Amino acid sequence: DRLTARTIDRYRLLNPVVEFLGNDRVRVQLDLLDLVLEEKAEIQIDSGVAIVNGQSLQLIDPDLLVDGSPAPQMLVRELIRTVNTRFSLRRFEAAGLTARVLDLGVSEDQLDLAVFLRLEPSAALLGNQP
């Protein structure tokens, strides 16, 4: 809807840094720039990650800091809801790409990821017209 699009256009994510913490946990640090108020907030998210049914990312027990202070639980719940609904591989299926995550593991120095990809010969991603 228009309100969601306007809200998304209002913010920019800057300087993202991802750190692997081990035990299937990651830390994401970034700056969130509000283009309307011309203000910037430092965001840090420490979270477990899992894949549900091979197709969507799920945050597990996330800790969210905004400018070094714990974020309100309402904001944490919204972050979880947004990630759990928006980061789904099913959204690529209409374009002819089937993708599934077979395995995901996070250690302190690496991310192990095994995926299955199937691209239809008529896929829009290849520039073909339906």
Side-chain angles (χ1 to χ4, degrees):
D1 72 357
R2 288 183 65 191
L3 180 59
T4 302
R6 220 175 329 153
T7 301
I8 291 171
D9 289 341
R10 176 178 177 163
Y11 298 99
R12 292 292 178 267
L13 304 176
L14 307 172
N15 308 315
V17 175
V18 177
E19 181 181 351
F20 303 133
L21 303 176
N23 296 325
D24 292 329
R25 291 189 67 81
V26 297
R27 172 175 293 146
V28 178
Q29 295 175 296
L30 56 91
D31 295 325
L32 179 68
L33 177 63
D34 183 325
L35 297 171
V36 173
L37 298 177
E38 297 181 352
E39 294 178 350
K40 185 168 55 171
E42 294 177 7
I43 307 293
Q44 178 178 307
I45 304 165
D46 289 4
S47 183
V49 291
I51 300 296
V52 178
N53 297 325
Q55 60 196 6
S56 61
L57 179 68
Q58 182 177 35
L59 297 182
I60 304 199
D61 193 26
D63 294 318
L64 176 61
L65 300 177
V66 178
D67 289 332
S69 298
Q73 282 303 304
M74 180 182 76
L75 185 58
V76 174
R77 284 191 300 272
E78 182 61 22
L79 171 71
I80 292 170
R81 185 192 69 76
T82 300
V83 167
N84 292 351
T85 57
R86 290 194 177 240
F87 287 92
S88 173
L89 296 173
R90 284 209 180 266
R91 65 188 187 139
F92 298 110
E93 290 177 3
L97 174 67
T98 301
R100 296 293 181 265
V101 176
L102 304 175
D103 191 27
L104 172 71
V106 180
S107 64
E108 291 180 11
D109 59 351
Q110 68 185 23
L111 171 78
D112 293 316
L113 183 65
V115 297
F116 166 82
L117 295 174
R118 180 171 187 251
L119 188 59
E120 295 290 333
S122 61
L125 294 171
L126 297 174
N128 297 325
Q129 298 298 322

